[in-house]
């Protein structure tokens, strides 16, 4: 079947099922979210796979996982979804719903300083009545207990009544100032963050961890000054022209997710901030290093 014919036959309602299954991970959770039975979810996914002549999901013990072939389909579905959500928010505005109040965001330090903070000017200009709180935590604050309204997390949550939207893959590379005298020295997180994927890779790398901290900011500053290398997300290191990437394949790749509690996902102020941040983060992740 020709590609044009396959895309002409696409139905947005089928793409909604792909988005929902990708976000919820199981037929039962997807069915509850879409208010249909699980057989309908399975049938609509199968119909779309037949139309596209692609396998979009693999069934595993813990649920359904996207195949590599599903990535462009998911991206296209998200691009179609975004303007529809915006139209919905315009409808809310026309009914007199004001975007105001406090929205509390929890994320790690690097995400807060390099990803969220740069967007605050535009967000404040759009909704001047909003108050934004940023809780910088390495642990996951509880959305259920209202410790935060929005979470930006480095893994998809596996429990709780949560809505998770994948923001993108984040490749990590070693970066250094070319003036650095010792090419075997690296700045790394301390033992309190030893279980992070980047910490585990550095432990096996053979590089000498000469500078350590529980904060990303001094590690970045040390690398920029030429004291050592640092393992960073490409989109963060790209903000510092003095840092040059080591060639080769990224040694670590993580995924960034935006997470909301389902009870809050349609609250106008939370939805507005979440969509604004998601759009900005996705653009940042697409920027070349």
């Amino acid at each position: 079947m020709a590609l044009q014919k396959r895309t002409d036959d696409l139905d947005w309602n089928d793409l909604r099922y792909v988005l929902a299954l990708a976000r919820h991970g199981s037929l039962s959770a997807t069915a509850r979210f879409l208010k249909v039975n699980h057989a309908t979810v399975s049938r609509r996914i199968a119909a779309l796979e037949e139309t596209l002549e692609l396998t979009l999901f693999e069934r595993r013990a813990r649920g359904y996982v996207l195949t590599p072939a599903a990535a462009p389909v998911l991206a296209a579905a998200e691009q179609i979804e975004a303007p529809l959500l915006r139209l919905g928010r315009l409808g809310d505005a026309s009914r007199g719903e004001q975007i105001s109040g406090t929205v509390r965001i929890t994320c790690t330090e690097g995400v807060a300083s390099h990803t969220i903070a740069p967007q605050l000017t535009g967000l404040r200009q759009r909704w001047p009545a909003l108050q934004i709180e940023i809780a910088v935590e390495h642990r996951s604050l509880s959305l259920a207990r209202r410790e935060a309204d929005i979470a930006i997390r480095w893994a998809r949550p596996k429990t709780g009544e949560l809505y998770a939207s994948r923001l993108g893959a984040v490749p990590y590379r070693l970066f250094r100032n070319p003036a650095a005298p010792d090419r075997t020295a690296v700045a790394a997180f301390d033992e309190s963050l030893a279980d992070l994927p980047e910490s585990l890779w550095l432990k096996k790398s053979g590089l000498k961890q000469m500078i350590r901290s529980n904060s990303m900011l001094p590690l970045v500053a040390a690398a920029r000054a030429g004291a050592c290398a640092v393992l960073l997300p490409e989109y963060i290191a790209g903000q510092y022209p003095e840092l040059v990437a080591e060639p080769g394949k990224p040694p670590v790749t993580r995924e960034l997710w935006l997470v909301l509690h389902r009870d809050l996902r349609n609250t106008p102020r939370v939805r507005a901030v979440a969509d604004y941040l998601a759009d900005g983060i996705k653009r940042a992740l697409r920027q070349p290093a």
Side-chain angles (χ1 to χ4, degrees), residues 146-213:
R146 297 300 305 272
E147 292 179 329
D149 301 308
I150 299 170
I152 309 297
R153 292 182 177 168
W154 285 103
R156 181 177 183 172
K158 298 178 180 179
T159 61
E161 293 296 314
L162 302 175
Y163 167 85
S165 175
R166 182 179 179 273
L167 299 172
V170 183
Y172 282 63
R173 291 182 184 272
L174 275 175
F175 289 85
R176 60 166 48 85
N177 187 321
D182 185 353
R183 300 187 65 82
T184 64
V186 66
F189 285 128
D190 64 19
E191 286 299 322
S192 67
L193 300 171
D195 60 338
L196 296 181
E198 56 266 43
S199 297
L200 295 173
W201 181 84
L202 283 172
K203 187 176 181 179
K204 298 177 181 178
S205 69
L207 295 168
K208 298 180 295 184
Q209 298 185 22
M210 305 305 294
I211 299 172
R212 307 184 77 192
S213 174

Side-chain angles (χ1 to χ4, degrees), residues 90-187:
L90 288 175
D92 290 341
S94 69
R95 291 190 294 273
E97 296 199 37
Q98 184 182 11
I99 304 299
S100 62
T102 300
V103 176
R104 183 172 170 84
I105 304 161
T106 178
C107 54
T108 59
E109 182 183 52
V111 172
S113 58
H114 294 88
T115 313
I116 303 301
Q119 296 192 63
L120 294 183
T121 298
L123 193 149
R124 290 278 300 118
Q125 289 173 343
R126 181 170 297 188
W127 297 295
L130 273 175
Q131 295 180 336
I132 303 297
E133 296 181 358
I134 302 175
V136 174
E137 295 279 354
H138 287 292
R139 71 182 181 92
S140 295
L141 296 186
S142 172
L143 299 183
R145 295 195 298 270
R146 297 300 305 272
E147 292 179 329
D149 301 308
I150 299 170
I152 309 297
R153 292 182 177 168
W154 285 103
R156 181 177 183 172
K158 298 178 180 179
T159 61
E161 293 296 314
L162 302 175
Y163 167 85
S165 175
R166 182 179 179 273
L167 299 172
V170 183
Y172 282 63
R173 291 182 184 272
L174 275 175
F175 289 85
R176 60 166 48 85
N177 187 321
D182 185 353
R183 300 187 65 82
T184 64
V186 66

Side-chain angles (χ1 to χ4, degrees), residues 241-255:
E242 65 270 36
L243 293 179
V244 177
E246 287 287 296
K249 181 180 178 182
V252 176
T253 298
R254 302 186 67 182
E255 287 192 341

Side-chain angles (χ1 to χ4, degrees), residues 32-67:
R32 287 194 299 271
F33 172 73
L34 295 174
K35 298 181 180 178
V36 298
N37 62 58
H38 72 275
T40 299
V41 177
S42 180
R43 176 172 53 80
R44 296 297 286 265
I45 294 293
L48 183 59
E49 289 182 325
E50 182 178 355
T51 298
L52 295 174
E53 299 179 1
L54 295 172
T55 299
L56 302 177
F57 292 93
E58 293 180 0
R59 186 171 184 176
R60 298 181 181 175
R62 293 188 176 182
Y64 284 75
V65 178
L66 288 166
T67 67

